Amino acid sequence: MQIAIVLFDRFTALDAVGPYQVLCGIPGAETVFVAEQAGPVVDNEDSLALVARRTFAEVPRPDIVVVPGGPGQNDRMTDDTLLNWLRAVDATSTWTTSVCTGSLLLAAAGLLRGRRATTHWLALDTLAEYGATPTSERVVFDGKYVTAAGVSSGIDMGLTLVGAIAGDEHAMAIQLLTEYDPQPPYDAGSPAKAPAAVVEKLRDASRFLPS
Amino acid sequence: MQIAIVLFDRFTALDAVGPYQVLCGIPGAETVFVAEQAGPVVDNEDSLALVARRTFAEVPRPDIVVVPGGPGQNDRMTDDTLLNWLRAVDATSTWTTSVCTGSLLLAAAGLLRGRRATTHWLALDTLAEYGATPTSERVVFDGKYVTAAGVSSGIDMGLTLVGAIAGDEHAMAIQLLTEYDPQPPYDAGSPAKAPAAVVEKLRDASRFLPS
């Protein structure tokens, strides 16, 4: 089983590494970071660089595709190299997945038309513009399409997918090995829970608005 | 404010990237991945490579030090280059922190003697051998020393630290921006919660046992 995780300039690191850390525990899985060109790809903070070991052309038939999001997604919405690769691998994938605004790239490739999907809470309206039916659930399954909400939700998505693929007991072993027993110091992780002032401040500053 | 995140061969990716993703949101923070040599450093799965942009020698006075764990930690317990750097930067750091078995490296450097600290649940006994007082809390503060439990706990540690440094409202904004509203599909993230069979299987297979 081959798992391809897409990288592009100004991706958000945890979008990619969260699901990576749990999916790589699937027995027999080979995980590969893939980009238009092989080599280091820099994140949206300009501080972290993850190495893409393969080019899109070198990974033609992954079983699982994971598309992270991040501010760099905006620049990729008409990137034919990426979008054509997504369409091509989706034709044979077992699971086509995304985290955060990665779902906007799946949508731009035409893969989410008429499907229930999610994305970062600040980008839900944009998802609708591309023909998907946005939902604010944290992890959304619609057939083989699995989309996760913002950034950290990719861990929940990955673990749910491990359960579907390798069984509940294996998924629980990965949860225990990664000690995923979250205890956030605040309860502000969704717009429904965070103080209104915090929500509005982020809406105003949103980096996801089309430029 | 400079934040140095240590890399070494066979580190666990989420140990480093979890705290990175929240700490990098501290206003004015510069985050730098640092290793003995600059360049790509490969994780314990041999699938992910994060780039260390600076050598230890180039980062002599970080304000915050973050030491991740992972199976590669075992090989570093007598690595004088790393341990001497940890001692040196600790002399001027504001916060000295770790995730997972990263605390064993802090302990091997002599920095946790007589202090309350935590680590991956499979490594708590080893922590005691180095003179720390192991606790099974998820995030442990003892003065400027902040240690987190296994892998994913670095997110909780990072967010707690952001609150201490930049205030609760800023930390909540980062929690909301990263949509950290965890909804694990199972409740098996600690040895107290996971099925006994899963716990025992991991104990038997433990990669943290001294080789």
Side-chain angles (χ1 to χ4, degrees):
Chain A
M1 168 174 289
Q2 190 183 48
I3 303 168
I5 303 178
V6 174
L7 297 177
F8 50 83
D9 282 348
R10 299 169 64 229
F11 73 107
T12 293
L14 188 57
D15 290 18
V17 175
Y20 165 75
Q21 195 68 71
V22 290
L23 291 173
C24 69
I26 293 175
E30 177 217 8
T31 310
V32 55
F33 287 90
V34 60
E36 187 170 347
Q37 296 185 308
V41 182
V42 178
D43 82 333
N44 63 299
E45 300 288 341
D46 203 19
S47 299
L48 177 151
L50 250 179
V51 178
R53 290 205 174 155
R54 307 269 190 86
T55 64
F56 291 138
E58 290 170 334
V59 182
R61 288 176 72 94
D63 299 285
I64 303 178
V65 185
V66 181
V67 185
Q73 154 269 323
N74 257 337
D75 295 339
R76 301 287 159 174
M77 293 295 277
T78 56
D79 174 347
D80 282 339
T81 305
L82 172 59
L83 301 185
N84 285 335
W85 182 81
L86 288 175
R87 291 180 195 111
V89 295
D90 179 65
T92 52
S93 70
T94 309
W95 299 98
T96 296
T97 80
S98 65
V99 180
C100 199
T101 53
S103 59
L104 298 179
L105 294 169
L106 294 180
L111 303 177
L112 297 181
R113 272 189 213 107
R115 297 193 178 275
R116 296 176 66 250
T118 194
T119 187
H120 192 282
W121 62 275
L122 280 167
L124 283 165
D125 291 346
T126 311
L127 193 55
E129 292 167 19
Y130 285 85
T133 304
T135 91
S136 49
E137 292 160 40
R138 190 159 172 85
V139 177
V140 177
F141 277 69
D142 186 334
K144 76 172 188 178
Y145 299 91
V146 192
T147 53
V151 192
S152 62
S153 61
I155 302 173
D156 293 328
M157 191 230 352
L159 211 48
T160 308
L161 211 47
V162 173
I165 293 167
D168 291 340
E169 188 167 318
H170 194 83
M172 286 190 279
I174 290 176
Q175 184 179 5
L176 180 55
L177 200 58
T178 55
E179 216 160 336
Y180 186 44
D181 180 28
Q183 295 169 29
Y186 310 97
D187 189 17
S190 79
K193 294 174 176 177
V198 172
V199 177
E200 286 318 304
K201 201 168 169 183
L202 290 186
R203 270 197 209 283
D204 288 347
S206 174
R207 51 187 191 173
F208 297 109
L209 294 174
S211 53
Chain B
M1 168 173 288
Q2 190 183 47
I3 303 168
I5 303 179
V6 173
L7 297 177
F8 50 83
D9 283 347
R10 299 170 63 230
F11 74 106
T12 293
L14 188 57
D15 290 18
V17 175
Y20 165 74
Q21 195 68 71
V22 291
L23 291 173
C24 69
I26 294 174
E30 177 217 7
T31 309
V32 56
F33 289 90
V34 60
E36 187 169 346
Q37 297 185 309
V41 181
V42 177
D43 82 334
N44 65 297
E45 300 288 342
D46 203 19
S47 299
L48 176 150
L50 254 179
V51 177
R53 290 204 175 157
R54 307 269 191 87
T55 65
F56 291 137
E58 291 170 333
V59 182
R61 289 176 71 93
D63 300 284
I64 303 179
V65 185
V66 181
V67 185
Q73 154 269 324
N74 256 338
D75 295 339
R76 303 286 159 174
M77 294 295 276
T78 56
D79 174 348
D80 283 339
T81 305
L82 171 59
L83 301 185
N84 284 335
W85 182 81
L86 289 175
R87 291 180 195 111
V89 294
D90 180 65
T92 52
S93 69
T94 310
W95 300 98
T96 295
T97 80
S98 65
V99 179
C100 198
T101 54
S103 59
L104 297 179
L105 294 169
L106 294 181
L111 303 177
L112 297 181
R113 272 189 214 107
R115 296 193 178 276
R116 296 175 67 250
T118 194
T119 187
H120 193 282
W121 62 275
L122 281 166
L124 282 165
D125 291 347
T126 310
L127 193 55
E129 292 167 17
Y130 285 85
T133 304
T135 92
S136 49
E137 292 161 40
R138 189 159 174 84
V139 177
V140 177
F141 277 69
D142 186 335
K144 75 172 189 179
Y145 299 91
V146 192
T147 53
V151 192
S152 62
S153 62
I155 302 173
D156 293 329
M157 185 212 28
L159 211 48
T160 307
L161 211 46
V162 173
I165 293 167
D168 292 340
E169 189 167 319
H170 193 82
M172 286 190 279
I174 289 176
Q175 184 179 6
L176 181 55
L177 199 58
T178 55
E179 215 160 336
Y180 186 45
D181 180 28
Q183 295 170 27
Y186 310 96
D187 189 16
S190 80
K193 294 175 176 177
V198 172
V199 177
E200 287 317 305
K201 200 168 170 183
L202 290 187
R203 270 196 208 284
D204 288 346
S206 174
R207 51 187 191 172
F208 296 109
L209 294 175
S211 52

